[in-house]
C-alpha cells in the first residue's frame, strides 16, 4: 500500500498543503480545531513524519538545498518562517554559479532536493535527477512543480484601493522581483486593471532615472505601483527631488513588503505576499515529490494589501 503523503491529508481534510504542514509541525497559522482535525486524519491514514520516512527509505541526506542570489537575502527570514527541517543554504550570483552548486550537491548527495528561485535551472536539474520545486513560479515548468503566488489578486486589491482614492493615472514600474515571474506580473497587472476606471500603464525600465522621467511627464501619474521595495524607495526619492509630496501629490505602492517598507518615511503601502506559507508549501510539495507523488503546481493564499502612509486621495 502506498505511503500516505501530505497531499492525501490535505485532500481528506479539505485544507491546503500549507495548513497541513503548519499543523503537523506545531506551527501557528491554523486554528486549534483545524490542527486537531488534521492530526487525527494523519493518524488515521498512517502518515509518518519526514524523519521516519527518511529512515525507512534509506540513503537520504535528510536536507533540502536552497541557493540564493544575494539580492534575495532580505526575504529569507519570512520565507524560512514556514519551513521545517534541515536546510542547506548557499549564496551564489548568477545561474551558472547556482547550477555548479546544485551539481555538486547532487554528486555528493548533500541534499534530497532543492527549492529553486531561478526557474532557468530547472531543465538541468531534471537532467541530473535532482528533485526540485520552484518558488514563486512561473508554473508549467516541465518536470518541476511550482508554488505560485496569486499576483492577480494582489494587483487587483492594490488597484481597487487606488481607484477608490480617486486615482486614474496609475503607472507600474516593472522590475525583477523576488519569487515572482515577470511575465506573470505583467499579465496580473493588465488583468487587474481591466474594468477599472483607467487602463493602467507599465514602464519597463527599473531605474531611478526612469522614475524621474515618468514623474516629469504630462499628465503626471498620481500613483505608482513599484515591483520592488528598492524601486518604491527610488520613487520616494524622485518625488522629493521634483518637489512632490507623498502622499499629497503622489501615492506609492510596493509590490513587496520587506522591513524597509516600515522603516522609511512615509512608510510604504505594500502588497504582502504569504512568504512563510510559500516556504511551507514548497517543502510539502518537495516531500511529495520525494515520496514518488506526481506533484503539480499549487498556489499559496492570496496576498494582502497593507496600507501605510505613502498612499492617500488623488490630487489631480
Amino acid at each position: 500500500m502506498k505511503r500516505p503523503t501530505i497531499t492525501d491529508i490535505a485532500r481528506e481534510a479539505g485544507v491546503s498543503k500549507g495548513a497541513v504542514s503548519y499543523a503537523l509541525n506545531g506551527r501557528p497559522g491554523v486554528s486549534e480545531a483545524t490542527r486537531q482535525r488534521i492530526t487525527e486524519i494523519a493518524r488515521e491514514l498512517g502518515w509518518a513524519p519526514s524523519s521516519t520516512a527518511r529512515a525507512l527509505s534509506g540513503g537520504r541526506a535528510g536536507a533540502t538545498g536552497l541557493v540564493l542570489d544575494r539580492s534575495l537575502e532580505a526575504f529569507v527570514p519570512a520565507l524560512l518562517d514556514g519551513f521545517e527541517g534541515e536546510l542547506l543554504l548557499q549564496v551564489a550570483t548568477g545561474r551558472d554559479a547556482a547550477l555548479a552548486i546544485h551539481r555538486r550537491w547532487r554528486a555528493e548527495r548533500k541534499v534530497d532536493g532543492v527549492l529553486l528561485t531561478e526557474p532557468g535551472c530547472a531543465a538541468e536539474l531534471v537532467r541530473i535527477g535532482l528533485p526540485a520545486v520552484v518558488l514563486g513560479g512561473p508554473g508549467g515548468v516541465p518536470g518541476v512543480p511550482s508554488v505560485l503566488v496569486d499576483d492577480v489578486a494582489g494587483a487587483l486589491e492594490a488597484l481597487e484601493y487606488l481607484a477608490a482614492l480617486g486615482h486614474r493615472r496609475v503607472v507600474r514600474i516593472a522590475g525583477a522581483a523576488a519569487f515572482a515571474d515577470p511575465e506573470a506580473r505583467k499579465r496580473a497587472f493588465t488583468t487587474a486593471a481591466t474594468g477599472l476606471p483607467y487602463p493602467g500603464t507599465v514602464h519597463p525600465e527599473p531605474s531611478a532615472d526612469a522614475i524621474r522621467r515618468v514623474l516629469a511627464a504630462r499628465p503626471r501619474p498620481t500613483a505608482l505601483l513599484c515591483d520592488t521595495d528598492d524601486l518604491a524607495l527610488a520613487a520616494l526619492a524622485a518625488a522629493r527631488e521634483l518637489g512632490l509630496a507623498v502622499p499629497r501629490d503622489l501615492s506609492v505602492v510596493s509590490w513587496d513588503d520587506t522591513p524597509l517598507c516600515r522603516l522609511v518615511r512615509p512608510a510604504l503601502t505594500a502588497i504582502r505576499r504569504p512568504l512563510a506559507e510559500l516556504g511551507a508549501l514548497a517543502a510539502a510539495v518537495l516531500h511529495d515529490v520525494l515520496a514518488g507523488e506526481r506533484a503539480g503546481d499549487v498556489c499559496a493564499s492570496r496576498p494582502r494589501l497593507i496600507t501605510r502612509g505613502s498612499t492617500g486621495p488623488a490630487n489631480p
Side-chain angles (χ1 to χ4, degrees), residues 61 63-69 72 87-135 144 286:
T64 300
L66 174 61
V67 179
L68 283 173
D69 185 276
L72 303 180
L87 184 70
L88 189 57
L89 180 65
Q90 193 160 338
V91 175
T93 302
R95 185 181 303 177
D96 290 344
L99 279 173
I101 294 170
H102 288 134
R103 291 188 187 107
R104 187 178 75 250
W105 282 349
R106 174 60 174 166
E108 297 175 356
R109 300 189 179 277
K110 292 281 190 180
V111 297
D112 298 320
V114 297
L115 307 182
L116 275 181
T117 63
E118 172 50 75
C121 295
E124 174 64 9
L125 299 194
V126 171
R127 189 188 71 80
I128 66 175
L130 182 59
V133 174
V134 179
L135 291 164
V144 179
L286 184 58

Side-chain angles (χ1 to χ4, degrees), residues 15 19 70 91 210 213 269:
V15 298
R70 197 168 297 279
V91 175
R213 291 197 298 273
T269 292

Side-chain angles (χ1 to χ4, degrees), residues 6 56 75 87 142 157-158 177 199 213 220-221 251 277 283 294 307 309:
I6 288 179
L56 291 173
F75 299 90
L87 184 70
E157 186 174 359
R213 291 197 298 273
R220 175 177 54 78
S251 286
E277 184 184 347
R294 293 189 62 183
T307 57

Side-chain angles (χ1 to χ4, degrees), residues 66-69 71-80 115-119 134-138 147-151 176-182 185 256 273 275 278-279:
L66 174 61
V67 179
L68 283 173
D69 185 276
S71 64
L72 303 180
E73 289 180 314
F75 299 90
V76 171
L79 181 72
L80 298 188
L115 307 182
L116 275 181
T117 63
E118 172 50 75
V134 179
L135 291 164
V147 179
L148 308 170
V149 174
D150 189 352
D151 277 329
F179 314 127
D181 175 57
R185 279 210 168 175
D256 274 332
R273 296 176 294 162
L275 293 185
L278 192 74

Side-chain angles (χ1 to χ4, degrees), residues 161-162 165-167 222 247-248 250-252 308-315:
Y161 167 72
L162 291 172
L165 290 173
H167 293 278
T222 61
R248 186 192 65 201
L250 176 73
S251 286
V252 179
R308 301 187 180 102
S310 67
T311 49
N315 182 19

Side-chain angles (χ1 to χ4, degrees), residues 194-215:
T194 301
L196 294 178
Y198 52 84
T201 57
V202 179
H203 197 283
E205 184 184 342
S207 71
D209 286 341
I211 293 172
R212 282 191 288 270
R213 291 197 298 273
V214 168
L215 294 181

